[in-house]
Amino acid sequence: MIFRVFEHEEELASFAADHLIETIRSNPNGLMCLATGSTPLLTYQLFVSRLREQRVDYSNFHFIGLDEWVGIPDSNPGGCHYFLQEHVLKPLVVKNKNYHLFNGLAADLRTECLTMDEQIRKWNGIDMMVVGIGMNGHIGFNEPHSNPDQHAYLADLTETTRQVGQKYFVEKTELSKGLTLGLKHFFESRQVLMLANGSHKADIIRRTISDPISMEIPATQIRRHQNAYLLLDTEAAAQLNDDHH
Ligand code: F6R
């Protein structure tokens, strides 16, 4: 794992956006998996605008969503589906055949996971996975003490995730389960970008870098990935010392 600290969030987002564009240039038929949330928002804005400005051909490139809250319809602005439509898929006018997102209202959630796994296989595996980091160290909805040896699955959400997740919704919302790519997908992904910004992430970032690698803090698993970047702004890196650097 390589980690880099940027002075401001804007520089982090600029670096990440360029990296995503490079992924498409080097494999125009490839597959990118996108997280949602506050962290990658600026990165996606720059990614979308630069991709268009630079006239990169992404007409055969594929996108999938990392996760989704169970019970949340596509039309709910707090959901992952809505976020990716609004910030990436609609602005880029990505064709339906070129993306796949979890349906949080699927009648059969097990089949929903198998369908996602199948889609990833069909698109020859994930070239690039963009992930954030939860306040409890989760990756996607891979919560502390979950099984890292899984592809897509139905996850029980921890109390922290249920509470922190309220920030995305206008009204108090029941969040108890999520559909998520598993850490098997994370390790199989040819490249990973993990992003963190803001002082509220400083403590979990210190633990991600200095705690033993274990599922107590799933994000520590990034240190085992062969081709991963951890990109931080100075606020998120505030509790790191020279030893870490
Ligand atoms: C969202 C996701 C989550 C978030 C994490 C950080 O698709 O997979 O794991 O990346 O909870 O969320 P923010 O960026 O809102 O701090």
Side-chain angles (χ1 to χ4, degrees):
M1 178 199 74
I2 296 171
F3 87 90
R4 287 196 55 171
V5 180
F6 298 85
E7 180 91 25
H8 301 109
E9 186 194 341
E10 290 72 16
E11 289 142 29
L12 184 166
S14 174
F15 178 91
D18 286 345
H19 218 82
L20 299 188
I21 291 172
E22 200 39 51
T23 302
I24 298 181
R25 281 192 203 278
S26 53
N27 184 5
N29 301 306
L31 171 59
M32 190 179 287
C33 170
L34 301 175
T36 62
S38 326
T39 309
L41 195 53
L42 188 56
T43 296
Y44 294 160
Q45 283 165 359
L46 295 175
F47 168 63
V48 165
S49 61
R50 290 179 188 175
L51 202 56
R52 300 179 71 154
E53 273 160 29
Q54 296 172 19
R55 298 180 178 277
V56 178
D57 180 8
Y58 55 86
S59 56
N60 293 311
F61 199 82
H62 308 101
F63 297 91
I64 53 172
L66 174 62
D67 46 14
E68 184 58 277
W69 308 98
V70 168
I72 301 300
D74 301 354
S75 56
N76 187 324
C80 302
H81 196 288
Y82 189 98
F83 177 103
L84 290 175
Q85 283 288 358
E86 214 51 28
H87 299 293
V88 180
L89 302 171
K90 277 194 207 157
L92 289 178
V93 203
V94 178
K95 296 186 204 99
N96 284 340
K97 70 174 179 65
N98 284 346
Y99 70 85
H100 184 76
L101 305 175
F102 283 119
N103 173 8
L105 290 187
D108 182 346
L109 296 167
R110 169 98 189 109
T111 302
E112 192 61 17
C113 294
L114 293 174
T115 307
M116 176 60 91
D117 291 343
E118 182 54 35
Q119 195 60 65
I120 293 171
R121 263 193 301 276
K122 213 171 104 191
W123 284 336
N124 295 318
I126 304 171
D127 292 287
M128 166 63 77
M129 193 160 174
V130 181
V131 300
I133 175 168
M135 295 299 285
N136 61 0
H138 70 199
I139 297 175
F141 286 141
N142 292 275
E143 299 279 38
H145 308 294
S146 56
N147 174 5
D149 194 25
Q150 302 182 84
H151 281 126
Y153 69 100
L154 175 63
D156 287 320
L157 303 178
T158 59
E159 196 48 41
T160 307
T161 299
R162 295 174 192 211
Q163 278 174 20
V164 175
Q166 297 299 326
K167 71 175 177 170
Y168 306 117
F169 297 91
V170 180
E171 289 171 352
K172 184 156 177 17
T173 304
E174 163 74 15
L175 305 171
S176 58
K177 290 183 184 295
L179 293 166
T180 187
L181 263 61
L183 290 188
K184 249 182 146 167
H185 286 302
F186 175 83
F187 286 117
E188 287 166 6
S189 176
R190 290 184 270 279
Q191 196 168 153
V192 168
L193 288 192
M194 181 183 274
L195 317 176
N197 49 50
S199 54
H200 59 302
K201 294 285 170 73
D203 183 58
I204 195 66
I205 286 299
R206 177 185 47 77
R207 297 195 62 188
T208 295
I209 290 184
S210 51
D211 276 19
I213 298 175
S214 82
M215 286 306 286
E216 194 175 331
I217 308 276
T220 56
Q221 301 290 335
I222 194 174
R223 286 153 49 200
R224 287 178 46 209
H225 196 286
Q226 300 295 316
N227 192 11
Y229 280 87
L230 174 58
L231 305 179
L232 309 171
D233 70 355
T234 38
E235 290 185 355
Q239 291 186 25
L240 304 182
N241 56 36
D242 286 348
D243 291 350
H244 297 120
H245 293 273

